[in-house]
Amino acid sequence: GSARRALAASPGFHKYCFIELLPKKLVALKSLAEEHPGKTIEIIQSDANTALKSLCTQYQWRNERAVLFLDPFGMHVEWTTLEAIAKTGAIDVWYLFPYAGLYRQAAINANALDADKEASLTRVLGTDEWRQAFYVQKRQTDLFGGDDGEERSADHGEMLDFVSKRLKGLFPAVTAPKVLYQGGDSKNPSGAPLFALYFAASNPNPKAFGLATKIAKDILDTL
C-alpha cells in the first residue's frame, strides 16, 4: 500500500527505491513497477538495514534530497541505520516505530528479559541505557537478605519519551509521535497502542527542517 501511494504522489519523485526481502512481496512490487513504465523504480531484494546503509553512501547528498518511509516488521530497524540516515543531512524520515514491540520486549519483571529481548531493545534504541531508564530494584528482599531482582518502573508513555529523546539527540528536528491504537480513531482511540509515527528531518539548516516539520505536523494532525 505505501509503495502504491508513493507512486501516486503528485508531483512525483525523480526516483523510487523499494526495499523488500520476502520473495512473494518482491513479486508484487515488480508487478506494481510494471504498472508505471514512465517512472524510475529500483527494487532492492535485501534486508532493509543493509540496503539503506548502502544507499546512504551511494549519493552525493549535497545535491540530492529524499523522503524515507520506515515501516518495519517488529523491532528490526537498527539504530546504526538511523545514524547512517541522519549523517546524510538530506533524508527526511517517516518512522512507524513499533511501540507495542517496545513495551512487550521490555517485560515488567526483568527476570523475564532473556538475551534476545535485551539485544533487540539495545539494537533498536542504540544504547543499553534503557535498562537504567526503565527498571528499578525491587524493594522486597528474601529471607537471606538478597533482592528479588528488578521490575519495570517506566510506564508506556515514559518509555516512548525515552525513544523521543534518543531520536532528538540524533536528528536536527523530530516531531512529537502520533500514537496509533488498535482500534477507533484519533479522537476516540480504543485498544492497545501499537505504533508511534515520527517524522525526523536530517537537514541541519533551520529553515529547511522548520518548513519540513511544519508540513509534517499538519499531516499528523489529520490522522
Side-chain angles (χ1 to χ4, degrees):
S2 57
R4 187 175 293 277
R5 287 176 182 271
L7 289 167
S10 180
F13 295 92
H14 294 98
K15 182 178 180 179
Y16 302 81
C17 294
F18 300 132
I19 303 168
E20 181 55 62
L21 184 62
L22 299 179
K24 184 177 180 180
K25 293 184 178 181
L26 203 70
V27 170
L29 281 175
K30 290 179 179 179
S31 177
L32 179 62
E34 291 173 357
E35 297 176 19
H36 299 81
K39 295 184 182 294
T40 302
I41 301 171
E42 180 181 4
I43 298 175
I44 304 169
Q45 184 176 15
S46 174
D47 169 75
N49 291 292
T50 302
L52 285 171
K53 290 172 185 175
S54 177
L55 286 170
C56 285
T57 62
Q58 285 180 18
Y59 293 89
Q60 297 294 325
W61 291 106
R62 285 185 180 180
N63 305 314
E64 302 283 353
R65 295 292 182 268
V67 176
L68 171 65
F69 178 46
L70 282 175
D71 181 15
F73 182 78
M75 305 276 283
H76 287 174
V77 174
E78 300 170 1
W79 188 260
T80 52
T81 300
L82 295 175
E83 289 177 329
I85 295 164
K87 188 177 180 180
T88 66
I91 300 177
D92 290 336
V93 186
W94 290 95
Y95 184 12
L96 193 63
F97 182 81
Y99 192 8
L102 174 70
Y103 60 75
R104 287 173 180 168
Q105 293 282 9
I108 294 177
N109 191 324
N111 291 332
L113 280 170
D114 57 27
D116 287 341
K117 289 181 178 179
E118 290 185 349
S120 178
L121 288 164
T122 299
R123 181 176 65 250
V124 169
L125 298 174
T127 179
D128 59 5
E129 292 177 3
W130 56 266
R131 186 89 187 218
Q132 291 74 37
F134 295 171
Y135 291 89
V136 295
Q137 198 73 36
K138 288 184 180 180
R139 294 181 180 180
Q140 183 178 356
T141 58
D142 60 32
L143 294 175
F144 301 97
D147 62 66
D148 197 23
E150 295 176 321
E151 62 183 355
R152 198 179 76 203
S153 59
D155 60 26
H156 292 178
E158 290 169 332
M159 295 168 72
L160 192 60
D161 286 342
F162 182 85
V163 176
S164 298
K165 289 178 182 178
R166 290 288 299 156
L167 290 172
K168 289 177 180 178
L170 181 60
F171 291 93
V174 180
T175 62
K178 180 72 174 185
V179 177
L180 306 178
Y181 291 82
Q182 190 171 15
D185 53 34
S186 59
K187 293 183 179 179
N188 298 290
S190 63
L194 299 181
F195 301 97
L197 181 59
Y198 284 95
F199 174 82
S202 298
N203 194 325
N205 186 303
K207 290 185 178 180
F209 68 67
L211 178 60
T213 52
K214 181 181 183 303
I215 294 171
K217 288 175 182 177
D218 288 343
I219 294 172
L220 291 169
D221 286 343
T222 67
L223 299 179

